[in-house]
Structure formats: structure tokens, C-alpha cells
Amino acid sequence: MKFPAGPRSGFALALLSSAALMAAPATAQEQPTGSGTLTQVASFDHQVTGITVSKGGRLFVNFPRWSEDAPVSVAELKDGKSVPFPDAEWNGWRNAKSDTVDPKTHFVCVQSVVADQQDRLWVVDAAAPAMAHVIKDGPKLVGIDLKTNQVVKTIPFDASTVLQASYINDVRIAPDGKTAYLTDSGAEGALIVVDLDSGSAKRVLSGHASTMPDKSVTVQYDGKPLRRPDGRGVNFSADGIALSPDGKTLYWQAIKGKTLYSLPTDALTGWATASFVPEMLSDRTLSGKIVTVGENGPADGLLIARKDGRMYVTSPQDNAVKVRDLSQNGSSLTTLVQDARLRWPDTFSEGPDGTIYVTTSHIQDSADYKPGAPISLPTELWAIKSGAGEATGSTGGAAR
């Protein structure tokens, strides 16, 4: 949610200086609610959304162009600092340069980053600064080889996949590295399925009730509806997305929603090499396979941990991270950690040792919702470690 290198060291240093993205000292603290330990990993001078940890332990974050023209879109955390990644040139887009900088080869408005099991970093470029109109030729999924730190694949999305009012948001990659699943949280919610080998993409469940905002839900903060100065509330469609560790089940939900849905992934794949889109991929057929998993309430980030098979759910209204035991049908959420510093917990990632990382994007503190707020919004990255006996949920053979 929401996006070959030559010698550019001087430019990179200048860009880094202007970004002023500094990591803060880590501070651990036992929480009064739940049994997770919350540790601040880094703080930023700009609004962060995505976080991912590679299988080698490298940390990457991204900064969308929402309220400000962020100076860096994708960064790697190195030695306590955020370094533009893969280089300064890819991060060289500026709103004022939109007529002169090629959106095909630059990050326009990055919403999320995810590292896969093949040691590639996938960057979702929603290409819609301020969540306004989509920049022509900008929406794309960019793959970066983490062994060489070079872009190895760029998958552009055409107007039939990413609509003018779209905002592609989060992504999950199949364990075999062949398929990507994205959410579209724009005016017409949808799922997008991408065959990574061919670059073919298919938009499904577009405008379906499972991908659209729930009209009965009002997203609140501090006990009152969260609204823009003109009265508009939070109205994001399908946003949070999670994939079971075995790659067989996809989960999603809208932020302005309460219900978690799922589909077997075998209902979404196998079409890329077909001469026509099979009937099994039609929205009519897919809708009959959707499972209502349970109610999460308004939620942004979702993650199913490899370590214990549980689903982690961000709860922005409660300043909390909650968990769901997927092995128990109909199980309710339990609170892992609740803390006033979790200002809009946004996106999750799991480290090689099972540590759960989560960003706080402070959406309710941004200039979009709070008149007089700074355009450059300070945000944080946190790590959560479960207490003894806490990580006990399991999905049996699905977790590995």
C-alpha cells in the first residue's frame, strides 16, 4: 500500500543527505498489554509504509509520495542509516520533474517492498503521488536481484490491470517465485495476479464485495471517526494481503472493512500460458470459492509467519498488533502487543530468526487528516518478539 547502475556516488550522498533518514537507537520495553516485546529499530523523517527482511537479514523500507514529495522511495537500512536502493538514479523521480524523468525506469510512488525466497526484492510502484491520478507508464512491479543489487525485471501494468483510480498496494510472492499477488486499494478494489516469468497480469474480483470498502464500517482513531478536513473518511479497498507459507491459500481484506477473506491459490493460477482466460478465473467462479475466515475489524497489514503459522494483524484503531490462530476455525484475535507508540501499525515482515517487524506510518497524524501537521512526517520501524510460550499457534504442515 501504494511503486545497469553506473558510478553515482556523489549524487547518492547528496540524495541521502537531503533524505535525512536516520535510524534511532533500539530500546526494548515489556508491554502492559499482550506478551510481545516492542523494540524500536529505526526512526525516519518521512512517512514510511513498507518493510521487508531478506533471507540474509537485510532490511528494506519504502516511502510513498503521499503528503510530500519524498526524497527517497526505496532504501536499505545499513549501519544505522537508510541508503537509496538499488541506487540514487532509480530514486531520482520528483514531482517537479514528472515531465522529464522516465516513469518506466524510476520509482514514482512506491507503496510496498517484499523480498522473496529466491533472494529478490520486489517493489510495488503504485505511481499515484498523493493517491491522485496514476502517472502514465508508471505502475509497475520491479524485481531486484539481492546478490547483485541490480534490477533484473520490470513488469509494467497496463490500463486494464491498473485503472486510472487504482492504487496498487501490497504484494505477496509464491514460495516458488513464479506468481505475485497484489491488492488494489483504489476506488474499485481488486486482486491482481502476476505470472512473474512471462510478466502477464490479470485483474480479478474487481469491484467485488470482498475487495471493496464495507459501508457499515467507520474507521476511528482516539475514539472518533478519522476524517479529512473536508469530512471524507478512510475509504481504502482491498489492502492487507497474506499468503500461507506453503503458498496454497491467499488472504486479504479492506482497511475500511472488518472481514478477512481467503481463496485457494490454485483457483488463481494456470491462466498465463492458456490461449484464453479459463472459466475458472472468472469473477463468477472465483466468488463461489471465497471463504469468509472471520472478523478482524479495520486492519492494514497482514502476515502469516513461517515460524509459527499464525496470522499477524495490525489494528490501527487500537494501537495494536493482534494474532489469529488459523489452525482453529472460527478463532478470534488475541492481542500480542498494544502500545500508544504504535501510531497506525502498517506493514509486517518476518526476519530469518522469526522476529516480526512492523512499520508505523502515522496516517492519522499526517497532513491529509490533521490540519497543520508537518508535511514531512516522522515515523518508525519496530521489532516484536513474542514472550515465552506465546508463539504456539500452528497450521500444521503449512508452516515451515
Side-chain angles (χ1 to χ4, degrees):
M1 113 89 50
K2 276 141 229 334
F3 85 21
R8 303 185 181 95
S9 58
F11 183 21
L13 289 173
L15 186 58
L16 180 59
S17 176
S18 68
L21 304 171
M22 302 301 293
T27 55
Q29 175 182 326
E30 290 291 340
Q31 301 309 306
T33 303
S35 57
T37 300
L38 189 66
T39 302
Q40 183 171 309
V41 177
S43 62
F44 311 103
D45 292 337
H46 306 279
Q47 193 168 24
V48 70
T49 51
I51 167 65
T52 193
V53 188
S54 75
K55 63 181 184 180
R58 297 168 69 181
L59 275 70
F60 301 90
V61 292
N62 73 267
F63 307 89
R65 288 188 163 85
W66 284 352
S67 298
E68 67 166 328
D69 191 3
V72 171
S73 291
V74 179
E76 180 177 6
L77 293 179
K78 297 176 69 173
D79 299 323
K81 297 181 180 180
S82 295
V83 179
F85 188 84
D87 55 34
E89 182 62 30
W90 266 94
N91 285 272
W93 172 275
R94 295 295 180 273
N95 290 333
K97 297 181 179 180
S98 60
D99 293 335
T100 60
V101 177
D102 186 357
K104 297 177 183 178
T105 56
H106 294 79
F107 298 135
V108 178
C109 180
V110 172
Q111 177 59 27
S112 58
V113 286
V114 170
D116 67 12
Q117 295 182 23
Q118 287 67 44
D119 213 20
R120 299 172 298 187
L121 180 72
W122 292 98
V123 179
V124 177
D125 190 353
M131 295 188 186
H133 70 278
V134 172
I135 300 295
K136 186 179 184 300
D137 296 328
K140 55 190 174 290
L141 184 62
V142 178
I144 304 169
D145 186 339
L146 293 180
K147 301 179 185 68
T148 63
N149 297 329
Q150 297 291 315
V151 171
V152 292
K153 192 147 193 124
T154 299
I155 299 174
F157 296 126
D158 62 26
S160 67
T161 303
V162 174
L163 313 180
Q164 185 53 240
S166 285
Y167 191 84
I168 49 175
N169 202 297
D170 209 346
V171 63
R172 291 293 179 265
I173 309 297
D176 62 8
K178 294 182 178 181
T179 309
Y181 306 93
L182 296 90
T183 49
D184 186 340
S185 62
E188 186 171 301
L191 301 180
I192 297 172
V193 186
V194 184
D195 180 86
L196 294 175
D197 289 337
S198 68
S200 300
K202 174 67 176 173
R203 183 182 181 90
V204 299
L205 298 175
S206 189
H208 187 270
S210 68
T211 63
M212 292 293 287
D214 185 333
K215 294 180 180 179
S216 72
V217 172
T218 299
V219 180
Q220 300 193 20
Y221 220 94
D222 300 327
K224 56 187 178 182
L226 179 60
R227 299 191 183 280
R228 295 175 184 264
D230 64 4
R232 286 178 295 156
V234 174
N235 205 36
F236 300 132
S237 300
D239 188 308
I241 189 169
L243 186 64
S244 61
D246 62 5
K248 293 182 178 180
T249 308
L250 185 71
Y251 300 81
W252 73 93
Q253 81 161 83
I255 289 183
K256 180 180 163 57
K258 58 187 177 183
T259 308
L260 176 69
Y261 300 96
S262 74
L263 261 177
T265 54
D266 62 10
L268 297 169
T269 56
W271 53 270
T273 56
S275 58
F276 61 93
V277 177
E279 174 65 20
M280 63 176 285
L281 201 66
S282 71
D283 285 355
R284 180 181 59 193
T285 302
L286 288 177
S287 63
K289 297 181 179 181
I290 294 174
V291 175
T292 299
V293 181
E295 292 193 359
N296 286 340
D300 195 331
L302 304 175
L303 174 76
I304 301 175
R306 297 183 303 273
K307 180 179 180 180
D308 58 38
R310 296 187 305 172
M311 174 176 282
Y312 289 72
V313 180
T314 69
S315 182
Q317 294 189 140
D318 304 318
N319 304 318
V321 169
K322 301 181 180 182
V323 290
R324 175 184 292 278
D325 185 349
L326 295 172
S327 69
Q328 301 295 323
N329 291 333
S331 65
S332 59
L333 294 174
T334 57
T335 298
L336 177 62
V337 59
Q338 186 171 25
D339 190 290
R341 296 174 297 173
L342 289 175
R343 299 289 288 179
W344 201 285
D346 196 306
T347 303
F348 289 117
S349 187
E350 181 182 11
D353 64 351
T355 297
I356 301 298
Y357 294 83
V358 62
T359 56
T360 42
S361 59
H362 289 248
I363 286 177
Q364 75 276 20
D365 299 321
S366 69
D368 288 337
Y369 293 94
K370 184 177 291 186
I375 297 299
S376 181
L377 185 67
T379 53
E380 302 86 26
L381 171 64
W382 304 87
I384 302 172
K385 290 194 175 183
S386 300
E390 176 63 19
T392 56
S394 174
T395 56
R400 64 175 186 268

